[in-house]
Amino acid sequence: MTEYRFYIHDFDGDAKEVAGFLGFPGASHANRGERNPERIVPRRNSVIFSVNDPTERGAARLTAFAMEVTNRREKLRELGGGTTFKIALVVTGRGAEEDVHVTIPPEISELACELGCEIDVFASSVE
């Protein structure tokens, strides 16, 4: 199974407000130092959107993720120049380390280029 995640970091403003502005369904958010002010955990403001619906097939999950992210293209640009973005594909399941085949749709590749976004792929046989 593949989980698709979109990370937004280092923006100005409150993480909850940014999450509300972007409107990603079920997004998690945290402000810098919110969990542990002494150790400054988390290290930066962040919003994380994820698509991981085990009832959907891989292509449907990927399509849902691509639509949610690309439909917010203008709002993502409005977050400002210091904002960083990352797309992560988390592949889990028996044999994931040996046989990983991930297709990144053109919409996601284009958006990653526009936003200067990293794309990471993680594989684990642990579910």
Side-chain angles (χ1 to χ4, degrees), residues 19-106:
F21 168 72
L22 293 171
F24 283 118
S28 60
H29 51 80
N31 286 308
R32 185 176 192 270
E34 183 176 288
R35 292 190 190 116
N36 186 334
E38 291 177 11
R39 294 201 171 129
I40 312 174
V41 176
R43 300 271 184 231
R44 53 195 178 171
N45 291 353
S46 59
V47 173
I48 302 169
F49 166 66
S50 171
V51 173
N52 186 22
D53 183 350
T55 63
E56 289 183 340
R57 299 199 48 125
R61 230 176 295 148
L62 179 57
T63 300
F65 177 78
M67 292 301 294
E68 292 290 349
V69 174
T70 57
N71 285 344
R72 289 164 176 81
R73 174 181 267 127
E74 294 306 317
K75 286 186 174 186
L76 292 167
R77 284 191 192 123
E78 289 178 34
L79 292 178
T83 305
T84 57
F85 305 97
K86 181 163 105 176
I87 294 171
L89 309 173
V90 183
V91 182
T92 58
R94 184 172 223 94
E97 292 96 346
E98 294 91 31
D99 189 21
V100 175
H101 180 263
V102 177
T103 302
I104 299 170

Side-chain angles (χ1 to χ4, degrees), residues 3-7 65 86-90 118-122:
E3 177 183 1
Y4 302 93
R5 297 180 189 165
F6 187 66
Y7 296 89
F65 177 78
K86 181 163 105 176
I87 294 171
L89 309 173
V90 183
E118 297 176 19
I119 300 176
D120 288 338
V121 178
F122 302 97

